[in-house]
Amino acid sequence: PSELLSHSIFIDGQMVGSWRRAAQRGAAVIEMRLHTPISEAEAAGLHEAAENYGAFLEMPVLRSNLSSVFDQR
């Protein structure tokens, strides 16, 4: 059960998506997949969180991709 929440994205107590880090030589690529629409401010917050995660890893974040299940409709 804890594995289900380990890569979840929560905003204001609601699960809105999931994320993963793709390995790339000397850098982090953060891929985020949304299951719920979010505001531009919330998206900016997710990109900032990805940058903070990169700082924690002591790696630059090459890009933080944000995609949505709604993009495929």
Side-chain angles (χ1 to χ4, degrees):
S2 64
E3 295 85 24
L4 294 175
L5 299 177
S6 66
H7 290 105
S8 298
I9 299 171
F10 286 87
I11 296 176
D12 294 331
Q14 300 287 324
M15 187 168 75
V16 298
S18 59
W19 69 277
R20 72 182 190 103
R21 179 178 70 114
Q24 192 158 357
R25 186 179 208 177
V29 176
I30 310 297
E31 298 174 351
M32 296 175 271
R33 182 91 167 146
L34 298 177
H35 306 291
T36 303
I38 63 172
S39 71
E40 287 183 28
E42 291 167 332
L46 289 178
H47 289 295
E48 182 179 348
E51 291 294 327
N52 291 341
Y53 183 64
F56 170 76
L57 296 174
E58 298 180 345
M59 299 177 113
V61 175
L62 290 184
R63 64 185 186 275
S64 56
N65 296 328
L66 186 60
S67 64
S68 171
V69 294
F70 303 102
D71 295 340
Q72 297 177 357
R73 291 184 179 177

